[in-house]
């Protein structure tokens, strides 16, 4: 188990501002880890709108089912996140654990359990002992503070090598609103941990339905365009909370996602999602290279996405990049297997901006030394031009290293 | 680059009988390798029927396109296979190389180029110098012998660690007919090599159309049910040749795949295909475990296949098996992400015949020591019961080891 921070970790970590209407607190409840925090409580003002998107897994975790069931009301007062145990594949006891956690939090907050949102990350298949939250959540509700963002991001980590936060501001009407986000990614040193959790908070007064629309469209080219190994967790959760406190400062209340006054907000919201998603890719297990895959000239954007994902998830492409080898033959293979319209004789491929294949054959003009130098960089862009149409897409991934196998091939302890 | 034979190699290698109407010869033409054979010529009697199935890649190699174009005639006199160069993604020069190779072979055999079938395996994107076949094929046509099967299987290897052959006999009418096969698998030490080639020969008098039907249905649960890493080659080729010489000994001429007299032949034919396919899985890059994945209780066989493939291609499942860890949480994850009908609370999972999860939760009854012992074996069966219906399927794969990453992450030399 390596504890070294990923070499791809961002060097610029932002100062996280407060979000009016949001307070945070963390504790060490001893869910699984020792000597570190493993519970986060986020306390939101009355009137906070909530939206969420979740794993597409047919076997979702109990907290995912809980959140889905409560989302229709659109109101949130508390978010409880624990690390160390995913409360997934735990049957009836899993459902009982979510209900108990929500009821403990509701008591601490004097709100309804229906206003409590939950997320868990950690081992699959072990019962989560929710009685550990007794007392803990009551204390956290009393001590929650508006400026504890970095500690919050740390409490939700499992085997992430660095905490992931992002922030942005936007004008809503004439009022400046703030968006803060945090995420945990795909660090999976202990087995069964494969959860992407992200939480975004804003003081903008945006109704739940509109927030849901923004989240759904925002996730498409950010979190949904990241892949580490093509394996989808049972617990992936992205929740957005809008406290609406900025309305007191004159921000207009927004009820529809199509409201033109949202223009600047949407841009900032997407920037926060994109920043967090990129940090997830930067912290992929064993990652030594951040890889951006751009596909253009596909028949549609959807087709470009499918081809980009086929390249991003190909073990042969990923191991070649780990070996700093501009192996375009494997890229051809991955394009070919995607099953989308492609014509070998129109295909061109670039590594790090250098064209290595053109119109169905090796590009005779490229300089091997120049390509080698490009492949040694920690960030590599791989571009595929199909010459079929105007469809374009971009996904982020990382390389596949021996460290990935070591991390995930260790015995369960 | 490891040259050790896979620990999963079969210990029983059959004596290969002759196939009346087929002669074989090999040579070292210096395509890429030194000090080993790299060309195979199979010479078939007049009247030999041919059938083939190929990669589903949208970017197939030039020899795949050649074979597809010639298959309609249903007649074959020669098969030329070279290792060291896949003649894939080589543009117009690739098409010229196939035409030149076929014309050299046709001259040597005094047949039409349309009766010559081609397969190439090796590096992608490098032009294949077909003039190297000049002279070589003429000599091979003259020296071809009926009993050179093991040498033939060796000549088509790239980085396979052992030659792959299989044989079976069947009664057709009252006559015994023989089926021989050879394959090369997914050894990919030098980059760009990702080709599965297999060739099956019989003396049974089966018309091309019927042979094509047999091949198409035979491949479904054999070669198409094997995955090493989910990456599909541009060059995968499986050709079957039926010389019909057994007709002289009284075997009935078969023109339809539905002919009831084919019953025994189909069984033997499938056995040869299944044997070769399993050997391909046993020689997956870096493989230390042969993994059989059985899915039952799916809504349909097709759904079972999709779920089995999702499990078989999951890097997290494959690394867990490499680590001898009965990590059923990752199996749940892989079932969940397949997108097929599944219900967490009906799911049961077995490793090596031991039930570790039952009805949506850990099976409290299993003995950890017993499971650990099962996981140490070189052959592991992983069974998933969905409890949704009667769909059942089985696929073969291998584990994902650091050796896989080392093999495929090496620099192109």
């Amino acid at each position: 188990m390596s504890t070294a921070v990923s070499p791809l970790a961002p060097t610029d970590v932002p100062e996280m501002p407060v979000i009016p209407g949001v307070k945070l607190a963390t504790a060490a409840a001893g869910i699984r880890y020792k000597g570190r925090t493993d519970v986060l409580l986020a306390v939101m003002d009355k009137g906070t709108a909530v939206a969420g998107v979740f794993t597409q897994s047919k076997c979702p975790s109990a907290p995912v089912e809980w959140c889905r069931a409560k989302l229709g009301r659109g109101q949130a007062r508390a978010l409880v996140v624990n690390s160390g145990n995913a409360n997934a594949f735990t049957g009836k006891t899993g459902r009982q654990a979510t209900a108990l956690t929500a009821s403990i939090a509701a008591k601490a907050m004097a709100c309804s359990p229906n206003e409590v949102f939950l997320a868990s990350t950690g081992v699959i298949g072990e019962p989560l002992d929710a009685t550990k939250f007794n007392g803990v959540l009551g204390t956290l509700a009393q001590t929650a503070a508006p400026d504890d963002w970095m500690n919050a991001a740390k409490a939700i980590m499992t085997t992430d090598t660095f905490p992931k936060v992002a922030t942005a501001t936007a004008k809503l009407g004439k009022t400046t609103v703030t968006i803060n986000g945090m995420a945990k990614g795909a660090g999976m040193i202990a087995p069964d941990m494969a959860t992407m959790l992200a939480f975004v908070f804003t003081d903008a007064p945006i109704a739940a339905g509109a927030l849901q629309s923004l989240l759904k469209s925002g996730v498409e080219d950010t979190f949904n365009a990241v892949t580490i190994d093509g394996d989808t967790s049972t617990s992936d959760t992205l929740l957005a909370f809008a406290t609406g406190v900025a309305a007191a400062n004159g921000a207009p209340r927004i009820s529809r996602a199509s409201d033109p006054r949202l223009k600047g907000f949407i841009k900032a919201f997407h920037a926060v999602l994109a920043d967090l998603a990129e940090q997830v890719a930067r912290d992929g297990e064993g990652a030594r290279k951040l890889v951006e895959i751009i596909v253009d000239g596909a028949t549609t954007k959807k087709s470009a996405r499918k081809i980009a994902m086929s390249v991003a998830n190909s073990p042969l492409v990923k191991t070649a990049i780990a070996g700093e080898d501009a192996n375009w033959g494997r890229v051809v293979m991955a394009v070919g297997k995607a099953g989308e319209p492609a014509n070998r004789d129109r295909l061109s491929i670039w590594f790090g901006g250098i064209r290595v294949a053109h119109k169905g054959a090796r590009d005779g003009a490229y300089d091997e030394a120049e390509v080698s130098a490009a492949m040694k960089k920690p960030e590599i862009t791989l571009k595929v031009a199909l010459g079929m149409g105007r469809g374009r897409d971009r996904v982020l991934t990382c390389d596949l290293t021996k460290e990935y196998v070591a991390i995930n091939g260790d015995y369960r302890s």
Side-chain angles (χ1 to χ4, degrees), chain A:
Chain A
M1 187 181 298
S2 161
T3 52
V5 172
S6 165
L8 305 171
T11 46
D12 251 359
V13 180
E15 280 290 324
M16 297 295 286
V18 305
I19 299 284
V22 178
K23 289 190 279 187
L24 305 163
T26 60
I31 304 286
R32 181 183 171 92
Y33 306 117
K34 294 209 161 87
R36 57 154 280 188
T37 57
D38 55 6
V39 185
L40 162 66
L41 176 69
V43 172
M44 269 83 68
D45 278 7
K46 272 183 191 160
T48 294
V50 59
V53 291
F54 304 94
T55 179
Q56 294 302 306
S57 173
K58 301 283 178 183
C59 301
S61 68
V64 164
E65 290 189 330
W66 174 272
C67 289
R68 277 205 179 107
K70 304 306 174 192
L71 211 57
R73 298 160 190 268
Q75 295 292 315
R77 291 296 312 286
L79 166 69
V80 182
V81 188
N82 75 273
S83 53
N85 187 315
N87 192 17
F89 212 58
T90 42
K92 207 172 82 180
T93 58
R95 288 188 285 276
Q96 288 165 347
T98 53
L100 180 56
T101 309
S103 103
I104 295 169
K107 213 169 162 188
M109 296 282 304
C111 69
S112 156
N114 293 325
E115 296 171 309
V116 177
F117 287 77
L118 305 172
S120 298
T121 174
V123 173
I124 292 180
E126 302 284 336
L128 171 66
D129 179 8
T131 61
K132 291 195 174 172
F133 297 125
N134 247 327
V136 172
L137 294 183
T139 309
L140 291 183
Q142 281 161 19
T143 57
D147 53 2
D148 214 18
W149 292 91
M150 215 51 173
N151 286 329
K154 282 178 187 163
I156 67 171
M157 285 166 57
T158 50
T159 52
D160 301 64
T161 73
F162 58 88
K164 298 166 188 69
V165 293
T167 183
T169 59
K171 284 276 184 195
L172 194 59
K174 288 176 181 159
T175 307
T176 298
V177 297
T178 309
I179 305 165
N180 277 5
M182 68 181 85
K184 75 159 296 282
M188 294 190 254
I189 285 172
D192 306 318
M193 302 199 182
T195 309
M196 203 291 300
L197 299 182
F199 309 105
V200 178
F201 302 83
T202 180
D203 56 339
I206 299 175
L211 193 62
Q212 184 68 33
S213 295
L214 296 189
L215 197 62
K216 223 169 160 178
S217 63
V219 82
E220 187 54 34
D221 289 328
T222 57
F223 284 106
N224 286 355
V226 167
T227 178
I228 303 301
D229 49 17
D231 275 348
T232 303
S233 157
T234 56
S235 310
D236 292 337
T237 297
L238 167 59
L239 292 168
F241 300 93
T243 66
V245 172
N249 298 328
R253 292 194 178 274
I254 305 290
S255 58
R256 292 176 309 112
S258 57
D259 193 315
R261 291 171 295 181
L262 276 178
K263 199 181 162 198
F265 181 86
I266 289 174
K267 204 177 153 189
F269 189 68
H270 281 209
V272 168
L273 295 179
D275 189 341
L276 293 173
E278 181 175 316
Q279 291 186 58
V280 168
R282 286 180 178 274
D283 208 8
E285 309 92 349
R288 294 294 172 266
K289 307 272 187 194
L290 177 69
V291 186
E292 178 188 42
I293 293 167
I294 296 171
V295 172
D296 75 10
T299 51
T300 60
K301 176 179 160 73
K302 199 174 157 190
S303 178
R305 170 68 58 95
K306 217 171 150 192
I307 290 167
M309 279 292 182
S310 179
V311 175
N313 284 325
S314 160
L316 288 173
V317 172
K318 293 165 91 81
T319 48
I321 290 170
E324 303 187 335
D325 174 12
N327 194 319
W328 56 268
R330 294 185 187 173
V331 178
V332 177
M333 177 281 299
V335 171
K337 79 166 179 164
E340 292 296 308
N343 181 329
R344 189 188 57 198
D345 298 337
R346 292 190 200 165
L347 205 53
S348 298
I349 297 168
W350 289 254
F351 278 93
I354 304 157
R355 195 173 69 189
V356 294
H358 188 50
K359 295 199 172 170
R362 184 225 293 250
D363 188 333
Y366 79 84
D367 174 12
E368 193 68 67
E370 200 189 344
V371 175
S372 285
M375 296 305 293
K376 290 202 191 329
K377 294 183 184 166
E379 299 178 7
I380 293 172
T381 297
L382 195 178
K383 184 177 155 188
V384 178
L386 294 164
M388 305 293 287
R390 289 159 170 270
R392 182 185 166 91
D393 202 33
R394 167 188 180 269
V395 307
L396 288 178
T397 189
C398 56
D399 54 345
L400 172 56
T401 64
K402 286 179 206 174
E403 187 71 8
Y404 175 93
V405 178
I407 289 167
N408 290 300
D410 282 352
Y411 284 91
R412 248 182 324 183
S413 50

